[in-house]
Amino acid sequence: MLASSLLLAATAAGCGAEEPAAPAPVRGVTSVSELVLPFDAYKTTPQQRAVLGNAHNRLVVRCMRKQGITVAPPVDDPAAIAALDPGNSRRYGVADTEAARRAGYHLARPPSPDTTGTWAGKLPKRTRHRLYGTAADRGCLDRATHVLDKGSPKADWSWLALQDSLTLEQAAKHPTVASAVKLWQSCMSKAGHSYPSPEAAIADGRWNLDEPTAVTEEEKQTAVADTLCKWSSGLVAAWFAADAGLQRTLIRDNRDRFEHLRDNLKQRLSRASRLLAEHEGREVR
C-alpha cells in the first residue's frame, strides 16, 4: 500500500461521527510496505517455504514408496503462501488502510489451501500410521525432516520466535509508543470511537473475528479510523522504531546464534533445492 493512500478521506461512520482527518506526515515509516524488521533477514520467504515444503514432500513420497504405499502430498505454492502471510502488516494491529476498508479487523486473505495436515487426516489408518510413526519407529514425516536437517548447523529457531514476540511486547512499553497511544486514543475519540488502546479496538465484541464472513460496515469504518489514527499519531512509526532497535541490539549481542540460524537455513535450502532438481530436472532457489 502506498503512503499516499493514507491521505484518502474515509466514508462517514454509521454512528454519524466523522472519521479522523488525513494524517499528518510522521518521521520514519509511512506505509506497511516499509515495515521490514532486522529479524526478517533470518526468516524464510514464501518461495523458500515452498522449496522446503515440496522437498519434504518428495522425501515423504520416497519413504512411503519403500513401504509399498503411494501417496501424493499437496504441492506448496509460493504465491498461495504469500497470499496467506500478512507479513508485518498486522504486527502493530491493523495498519493497512485499504485492507481495513475491505475486511475491517478481519484478516483479508483467501481461503487456506490444502495442507499436509488436512491431507494426511483423510488418508487410511495404515497410511497415517506409516506417515506419523510411533515413539519407537519414526514415521516418514519425521524421517523426511531428518534428511533435510542432516549435517546442518544446529540452530535454535524456537529462540528466534520467542525473541520476535518479546521485542514486540517490550517495544510497546517504550515511552514514545506510550505517548503515541495517547494521541491515537484522542484521534479515535474525535472520530466517535472511544477505546483505551488499539488492542481494545480490535477485541471489541461486536466484531465476530471467528467468522470470516461477518464483516459489518461499522467494523470496516472503525478499522479504517483505527489505521488512519495509527499513522497520524505516529504510533506505527514509533512502535516499529522501538521494535527494530531492540532486534538490532539482539543481533549484535548474539552474533553466533544468528549466524547459526542463517547457516542452518542456507544448508537446508541447498539440500532441498538439490532434491527438487533431481525430481524436476532443474534447481530451485
Side-chain angles (χ1 to χ4, degrees):
M1 181 189 67
L2 298 174
S4 58
S5 67
L6 296 173
L7 301 178
L8 298 175
T11 55
C15 60
E18 293 183 354
E19 291 193 356
V26 295
R27 297 180 63 184
V29 295
T30 57
S31 72
V32 292
S33 64
E34 298 177 66
L35 299 178
V36 180
L37 288 160
F39 281 6
D40 292 343
Y42 300 89
K43 298 177 181 179
T44 53
T45 65
Q47 176 67 27
Q48 290 170 337
R49 271 174 266 166
V51 169
L52 292 169
N54 288 324
H56 186 271
N57 287 343
R58 295 313 310 166
L59 290 168
V60 168
V61 170
R62 290 183 189 179
C63 176
M64 295 292 283
R65 187 181 297 140
K66 290 178 181 178
Q67 301 182 60
I69 302 173
T70 300
V71 294
V75 175
D76 284 333
D77 175 51
I81 293 173
L84 289 166
D85 185 358
N88 293 325
S89 67
R90 301 270 299 198
R91 187 170 175 88
Y92 313 111
V94 289
D96 187 331
T97 306
E98 293 308 314
R101 284 196 177 100
R102 296 191 304 271
Y105 286 105
H106 284 68
L107 274 172
R109 62 186 187 185
S112 297
D114 196 15
T115 63
T116 299
T118 56
W119 161 78
K122 301 173 185 176
L123 296 173
K125 184 176 180 180
R126 175 175 174 269
T127 303
R128 292 199 309 272
H129 176 75
R130 293 296 185 183
L131 272 176
Y132 292 106
T134 64
D137 183 15
R138 178 181 289 167
C140 283
L141 290 174
D142 281 347
R143 291 182 186 183
T145 299
H146 177 72
V147 170
L148 283 179
D149 289 348
K150 188 176 181 180
S152 299
K154 297 295 182 182
D156 195 347
W157 292 100
S158 60
W159 177 84
L160 178 63
L162 175 61
Q163 300 310 312
D164 197 33
S165 297
L166 290 177
T167 63
L168 177 64
E169 295 176 9
Q170 292 165 1
K173 301 173 184 177
H174 195 278
T176 58
V177 178
S179 296
V181 168
K182 292 179 181 178
L183 294 175
W184 173 90
Q185 184 181 15
S186 175
C187 176
M188 287 291 280
S189 293
K190 290 176 182 177
H193 309 289
S194 297
Y195 293 106
S197 67
E199 292 82 3
I202 195 171
D204 192 320
R206 292 178 296 171
W207 329 136
N208 187 2
L209 300 184
D210 292 328
E211 176 52 58
T213 61
V215 184
T216 64
E217 284 304 311
E218 183 178 21
E219 178 188 337
K220 292 178 183 178
Q221 291 157 2
T222 304
V224 167
D226 189 344
T227 64
L228 292 172
C229 286
K230 276 197 178 83
W231 289 105
S232 65
S233 66
L235 177 55
V236 176
W239 205 341
F240 172 80
D243 198 6
L246 290 167
Q247 291 193 4
R248 282 192 293 270
T249 298
L250 276 166
I251 293 172
R252 182 197 66 201
D253 295 344
N254 297 273
R255 292 191 185 280
D256 288 347
R257 278 183 182 268
F258 283 94
E259 285 178 7
H260 291 159
L261 290 168
R262 178 170 285 164
D263 290 344
N264 173 274
L265 177 57
K266 182 179 179 180
Q267 290 198 27
R268 285 190 294 120
L269 283 169
S270 178
R271 183 173 288 109
S273 179
R274 289 195 301 272
L275 284 165
L276 289 177
E278 292 173 10
H279 176 68
E280 301 173 4
R282 60 185 176 85
E283 188 165 358
V284 182
R285 297 186 182 277

